[in-house]
Amino acid sequence: MATASATGSNGAAMRKAGDWARRAPLLPALIFVIAMTQLPFVATVVISFMNWNAYYPDERGFAGFDNYVSTFTDTNARSAVIVTIVLTTSVVLLSLLLGLGIALLLDRKFRGRSAVRTMMITPFLIVPVAAALLWKHALYNPEYGLFNGILTWIFGEGAPQPDWISDNPLLAIIVAIVWQWTPFMMLILLAGLQSRPLDVIEAARIDGASTWQIFTHMTLPHLRQYIELAGLLGAIYVVQNFDHVFTITSGGLGTANLPYYIYQTFYTAQDYGRASAAGVVVVIGTIIIATAALRTAFSLFKEESR
Amino acid sequence: MARRARSAVAWGVATGVALSLSACAGWGGGGIGGGGPNSINVLMVNNPQMVDLQRLTADNFTKETGITVNYTVLPENDVRDKISQEFTSQAGQYDVASLSNFEIPIYAKAGWIAPMDDFIAKDPEFDQEDILGPMTTSLSSEGKIYGQPFYGESSFLMYRKDILKAKGVTMPDRPTWPQVAEIAAKIDQAEPGMAGICLRGQPGWGQVFAPLTTVVNTYGGTWFEKDWTPKVNAPEFTEAVKFYVDLVRSHGERGAPQAGFTECLNNLTQGNAAMWYDATSAAGSLEADGSPVKGKLGYVAAPVLKTKSSGWLYAWSWSIQDASTKKDNAWKFISWASGKKYEQLVGEQLGWSKVPAGKRASTYENAEYLKVAGAFAGPTKEAIETADPENPGVQPRPAIGIQFVDIPEFPNLGTQVSQDVSAAIAGQTSVGDALDKGQQLAEDVAKRYQAKGK
Amino acid sequence: MSTTTRPQAPGSSATPGDRLAGRTFTHQKPPRSHMLLTVLAWVVGLLFVLPVLWMVLTSFHSETDAATNPPSVFAPLSLEGYQTFFEANPWPPLLNSLTAAVLSTTLVLVLAFPAAYALSIRPVKAWTDVLFFFLSTKMLPVVAGILPLYLFAQKAHLLDNIWWLIVLYTSMNLPIAIWMLRSFLAEVPVEMLEAAQVDGAGLARTLKDVIAPVVMPGIASAALICFIFSWNELLLARVLTSTVAATAPVFLTGFVTSQGLFLAKVCAASLVVSLPVLVAGFAAQDKLVQGLSMGAVK
């Protein structure tokens, strides 16, 4: 905070010492993260240039860009990219919308409000693989799942008993993930709603503004940072989703997303080179998209420094 | 101040918890769980027979030998992935794993599992001769034995005797597939909602293609010829798949494109199907106490056309990892789990229908077992004994295997083609298109092997 | 919708103390729409929690009752599922998960606090770049980096060792913990810091008296989030552990079998394995809200 105002080498030395004093507390965490993430990443890059198939250990060798070429030409890889994009955007958008709606509902005072909030938080607190198992076997199963059971209850013997997962595999996964992430979005947006300056809003209302006008011109802009934060965090985690795809459809029926595709290339095809190349491509792609989003549309990182 | 005191207590508790957990983590080198130095680690699939094994180990095996067994039990898909990772890297985390006769020849050639001949020679009580011949063959490589079956199966045709009788239909002793199709047509809808036959249609190299490949074999088709020329869209393969798809579509069960083993088992148990061509191990569940169809089923050999037999061969087996440092103890475990005494133990303590059968000839001479399993024991044993994994079809094969081709690329290849076959069953594509795509995929695989001159 | 103007009820303007307590509009809505919205909120809440309630109910049914269609809500209660679960010796995996979660959370806090300090109170130059770097480390799918991690662990004899998991979980959760703590620390009033400096207070005093009160809720909520994410982690645990260090989620997947009924025991297992996270989340609901929002924004 206090900048050295002394002139000459004395001032420069002091400033340097000050800079290092500021950096010192950051170093342990920084070094740790670099060691634990960049080193494996470098190793992954190295492997991506190799021809390494575990079933044929004698054929290990340098492969140049072959693995990258196959990643881009493999239809399964391309489909995995599309599935990842569709899955992530649908989940984030749906849970943001739902979360916003429910946050608006919970922003009012009513009887049992904290009970409802507790109920809403619960899905987020179930272990993800447990939730995926719950949806696959206890809810979606066409023979003894809850959904078809409810249909039989209502419509009797001739009730439609759709095979939820086989008929709409990607949608089934999306719904299960949205169920878990809506509470997360809702909590962030609710806090945003509750931090609105009420007096200004009351003033606007007194001046005759309608609920809709207040919502679009005052509430939403205030919520913008919260929406960005919720969307960003949600996207980071949902892009990596593995448990649900693995459990609900085992990547079949066209629902293999990028993490699952990479996992399959590792474990079924045992092609380590190609799997690593796919991983590198994912990282580069995500960084490009994230940088673009964060530096342009998002206002999250634009703050005054101290 | 009260707040200060409270936060001090909180810090104290937190530190205490953290310290004691670190102690737990430090114990035994990195975690709780596991056993002492005289212990082995076993990685296995969580089928009911394995779960029974897990339950009986402490009071029997550990008591007799003093060797603790640490099990890791996972569902089939998960365990296959973990097994392949473990064995390809020879990590030495597990001493024994439940492999099948698909992995064992491949792993044996790669040197990832240990040969067992020395152990067998020193363990006459194990009685290798008692193990059914085809089982031993399919678990060997270049003359050495690399695995011991825990329970094995072939395939046969199961049918509702009462339904056939009511419709005045007799099942020949050695039916052919065209005969079976006729019978299915005659008994279709004998009772409301009862399909003539249940056949698997679910995508997967081990799902629809298990029975379907056996049909292909007996129709004179094959995945690859001896010189690795792929024959997926050859006339014989095509005829077989067309037959299968037509049969399922006209007289098969509802929801066939998603029907796997479990679905067909349910269908037969609940009277939604009158016949079923599938694994011999299904009979155990169908004839269990409390099954609505107990005693109503007849069992006959897998239908054929151009071959003498066509049942498949599959065995969940034990292998010892080559990197294991406890091979002697590992063998002791295998000898116990696949031994005659263990079958007796299960029969007495859990019931004779739960015995892991299909591997030993002596099981089929055991009077108590036959009392419970008499209806299907004979056909099961015959199915396994007549299976020929080296020559399952009308032409020589480049790799061992009846319902699969024993190469590492097969799961991927088989699963991809099976997805199109499933779609054909659902009516979304034609058999011809599905097999043309399959032929292309098979050609990619064949290139590697033809280049090697294997 | 027309609004009726009424005099505001006393004490309705927003005060700082209102921030964390639930506040509402004091503007009076017509009673019918209020009732409708209340009912809607209840319905939505019940719909969201219904799958969990169903899971709890199923876990107390016998296997055959659990697999019926239509669902047998009033079937006799049975502890069959729980029996099977506890007979399978779940304590080692549960303890392993607890160890990994608690120790990695502690390590995260120890590393994240000074780092957040260096990004907020006495920030380094280009702190936004540093923050973005931390966030970018979460963009490599874990599964792509698994091979180097596995091979290293194999060579270093760290396979099936809970400490390796602890280290990996720490690096997994550091970015978000740093981000959250930084936002909390950015709330420390500059005037008080400068006043403390003028008073000649050393670092320790400043930490204790000025910074701690503001950041304690942040530490608590960061700890909660890290605990939850570490407890839930499945992929690394399944790949890197075997018998000694297996964690609870891995143990849970072992109950799903392709032959035979398993719904009751899977529900029982899911409930027990999720229990610590549920309890932590319910008990510290407010911390969860704070951490996810006020902490992480601004």
Side-chain angles (χ1 to χ4, degrees), chain C:
Chain C
M1 187 162 83
S2 63
T3 63
T4 50
T5 49
R6 292 189 197 187
Q8 286 188 16
S12 63
S13 53
T15 60
D18 280 338
R19 243 204 189 163
L20 300 173
R23 299 168 309 116
T24 73
F25 280 118
T26 52
H27 148 80
Q28 299 278 357
K29 278 200 157 95
R32 185 140 54 112
S33 77
H34 178 87
M35 179 64 115
L36 276 178
L37 290 178
T38 308
V39 167
L40 184 60
W42 270 95
V43 166
V44 170
L46 282 171
L47 277 180
F48 265 82
V49 86
L50 181 65
V52 179
L53 292 178
W54 180 245
M55 180 174 87
V56 174
L57 184 61
T58 310
S59 73
F60 284 107
H61 282 161
S62 71
E63 289 289 2
T64 29
D65 284 337
T68 55
N69 180 348
S72 48
V73 177
F74 299 110
L77 297 181
S78 138
L79 286 179
E80 194 186 316
Y82 287 96
Q83 234 180 336
T84 324
F85 175 74
F86 283 107
E87 269 172 18
N89 195 15
W91 300 111
L94 286 172
L95 274 174
N96 280 334
S97 273
L98 188 64
T99 311
V102 167
L103 291 183
S104 74
T105 303
T106 314
L107 196 52
V108 165
L109 290 176
V110 164
L111 290 174
F113 185 81
Y117 184 89
L119 292 174
S120 57
I121 292 186
R122 312 193 97 238
V124 300
K125 287 193 261 248
W127 60 270
T128 43
D129 293 330
V130 174
L131 207 50
F132 182 71
F133 166 73
F134 277 121
L135 208 59
S136 73
T137 62
K138 292 206 70 63
M139 293 178 189
L140 171 70
V142 173
V143 71
I146 260 201
L147 184 64
L149 294 173
Y150 182 80
L151 291 175
F152 173 79
Q154 196 184 347
K155 298 283 185 298
H157 300 288
L158 281 174
L159 274 182
D160 203 21
N161 189 317
I162 199 84
W163 288 105
W164 187 230
L165 272 188
I166 292 174
V167 166
L168 288 173
Y169 289 173
T170 307
S171 77
M172 198 174 81
N173 290 323
L174 255 182
I176 194 154
I178 291 179
W179 201 4
M180 286 171 70
L181 286 179
R182 193 211 75 86
S183 308
F184 271 91
L185 282 175
E187 294 281 301
V188 173
V190 178
E191 315 82 48
M192 291 192 68
L193 276 175
E194 287 175 346
Q197 229 190 4
V198 164
D199 278 351
L203 185 62
R205 266 281 301 274
T206 322
L207 276 176
K208 199 163 63 100
D209 294 334
V210 180
I211 296 182
V214 179
V215 86
M216 264 319 185
I219 291 184
S221 45
L224 180 63
I225 297 277
C226 291
F227 179 85
I228 292 179
F229 285 146
S230 300
W231 182 275
N232 289 348
E233 206 280 329
L234 175 66
L235 187 57
L236 286 173
R238 193 174 53 209
V239 168
L240 297 170
T241 69
S242 37
T243 46
V244 167
T247 58
V250 180
F251 182 72
L252 167 63
T253 54
F255 284 96
V256 179
T257 165
S258 63
Q259 302 177 8
L261 298 172
F262 55 83
L263 200 54
K265 29 183 186 288
V266 166
C267 286
S270 297
L271 190 57
V272 175
V273 167
S274 302
L275 212 49
V277 176
L278 276 169
V279 165
F282 284 155
Q285 249 185 75
D286 289 330
K287 295 284 178 296
L288 200 55
V289 178
Q290 278 182 46
L292 288 178
S293 55
M294 190 188 123
V297 191
K298 271 190 66 186

Side-chain angles (χ1 to χ4, degrees), chain A:
Chain A
M1 283 177 280
T3 50
S5 48
T7 52
S9 60
N10 199 9
M14 264 179 66
R15 223 176 309 135
K16 237 191 169 177
D19 284 345
W20 276 109
R22 289 187 177 210
R23 286 180 200 140
L26 180 58
L27 288 178
L30 196 57
I31 296 177
F32 185 86
V33 166
I34 289 180
M36 295 307 304
T37 61
Q38 305 310 298
L39 291 182
F41 181 63
V42 167
T44 307
V45 172
V46 168
I47 298 176
S48 71
F49 287 111
M50 291 172 62
N51 172 12
W52 186 352
N53 185 316
Y55 278 120
Y56 302 102
D58 310 324
E59 296 176 9
R60 223 177 284 186
F62 184 67
F65 281 97
D66 286 350
N67 289 323
Y68 287 94
V69 170
S70 22
T71 306
F72 283 112
T73 54
D74 185 2
T75 36
N76 289 337
R78 284 204 297 257
S79 136
V81 169
I82 297 182
V83 168
T84 311
I85 295 178
V86 169
L87 184 66
T88 312
T89 30
S90 322
V91 168
V92 170
L93 284 178
L94 277 175
S95 47
L96 265 178
L97 280 173
L98 268 180
L100 183 58
I102 301 177
L104 287 170
L105 275 178
L106 284 182
D107 189 35
R108 314 160 32 251
K109 200 188 247 172
F110 60 86
R111 204 172 299 181
R113 173 208 211 178
S114 53
V116 176
R117 195 178 75 163
T118 309
M119 289 197 279
M120 280 302 309
I121 293 184
T122 313
F124 184 69
L125 298 174
I126 305 286
V127 177
V129 68
L133 286 171
L134 176 70
W135 278 84
K136 173 165 192 189
H137 297 290
L139 299 179
Y140 282 140
N141 184 301
E143 299 199 346
Y144 48 76
L146 183 62
F147 291 162
N148 280 2
I150 291 181
L151 285 176
T152 314
W153 234 353
I154 303 179
F155 295 108
E157 278 301 316
Q161 301 271 276
D163 189 346
W164 302 93
I165 299 182
S166 303
D167 295 341
N168 301 290
L170 197 55
L171 189 59
I173 298 181
I174 290 175
V175 168
I177 306 182
V178 165
W179 179 74
Q180 277 215 290
W181 282 90
T182 304
F184 179 81
M185 307 295 194
M186 181 210 77
L187 285 177
I188 296 185
L189 295 175
L190 184 58
L193 283 176
Q194 291 181 339
S195 68
R196 281 177 301 177
L198 259 201
D199 34 4
V200 181
I201 295 188
E202 288 295 326
R205 194 175 294 278
I206 291 175
D207 280 348
S210 73
T211 320
W212 180 250
Q213 282 174 320
I214 293 184
F215 182 70
T216 45
H217 288 93
M218 304 186 75
T219 310
L220 275 187
H222 174 85
L223 278 184
R224 179 178 167 179
Q225 268 208 333
Y226 294 84
I227 295 180
E228 285 174 0
L229 170 75
L232 179 66
L233 283 181
I236 289 180
Y237 283 104
V238 174
V239 155
Q240 307 244 349
N241 178 284
F242 179 80
D243 295 355
H244 283 78
V245 174
F246 185 82
T247 311
I248 296 183
T249 57
S250 301
L253 303 170
T255 58
N257 63 350
L258 279 168
Y260 188 83
Y261 168 78
I262 295 175
Y263 178 87
Q264 248 207 333
T265 318
F266 263 128
Y267 284 97
T268 318
Q270 295 281 332
D271 193 337
Y272 295 167
R274 192 147 51 98
S276 304
V280 172
V281 169
V282 170
V283 173
I284 297 181
T286 326
I287 290 188
I288 292 179
I289 296 180
T291 317
L294 283 173
R295 301 289 170 159
T296 58
F298 279 39
S299 53
L300 266 183
F301 280 107
K302 303 185 179 115
E303 305 181 24
E304 331 99 49
S305 59
R306 287 176 158 215

Side-chain angles (χ1 to χ4, degrees), chain B residues 180-240:
Chain B
V180 170
E182 266 182 55
I183 297 179
K186 285 196 202 142
I187 62 178
D188 197 10
Q189 304 302 314
E191 280 174 19
M194 179 184 271
I197 188 168
C198 197
L199 288 172
R200 292 193 202 175
Q202 199 182 79
W205 67 281
Q207 285 289 2
V208 67
F209 258 122
L212 184 51
T213 306
T214 67
V215 178
V216 167
N217 287 340
T218 198
Y219 266 69
T222 178
W223 281 89
F224 299 96
E225 295 203 323
K226 183 96 185 161
D227 61 356
W228 290 103
T229 313
K231 288 278 177 195
V232 177
N233 59 358
E236 298 86 2
F237 203 117
T238 311
E239 194 192 339

Side-chain angles (χ1 to χ4, degrees), chain B residues 285-364:
Chain B
S285 311
L286 291 170
E287 300 283 348
D289 289 324
S291 161
V293 294
K294 181 185 164 94
K296 297 190 188 165
L297 292 161
Y299 303 92
V300 76
V304 291
L305 189 66
K306 297 188 186 161
T307 54
K308 271 187 294 169
S309 66
S310 87
W312 71 58
L313 200 63
Y314 190 80
W316 278 108
S317 321
W318 307 113
S319 270
I320 305 178
Q321 191 180 164
D322 201 51
S324 162
T325 49
K326 302 182 187 160
K327 295 204 181 72
D328 290 315
N329 285 351
W331 171 256
K332 287 204 189 109
F333 169 77
I334 295 178
S335 175
W336 173 72
S338 288
K340 297 184 216 179
K341 272 203 320 192
Y342 177 74
E343 291 191 7
Q344 188 77 19
L345 179 66
V346 174
E348 285 164 6
Q349 288 200 12
L350 302 177
W352 285 97
S353 56
K354 290 188 157 206
V355 166
K359 62 180 185 290
R360 285 179 175 277
S362 54
T363 319
Y364 296 94

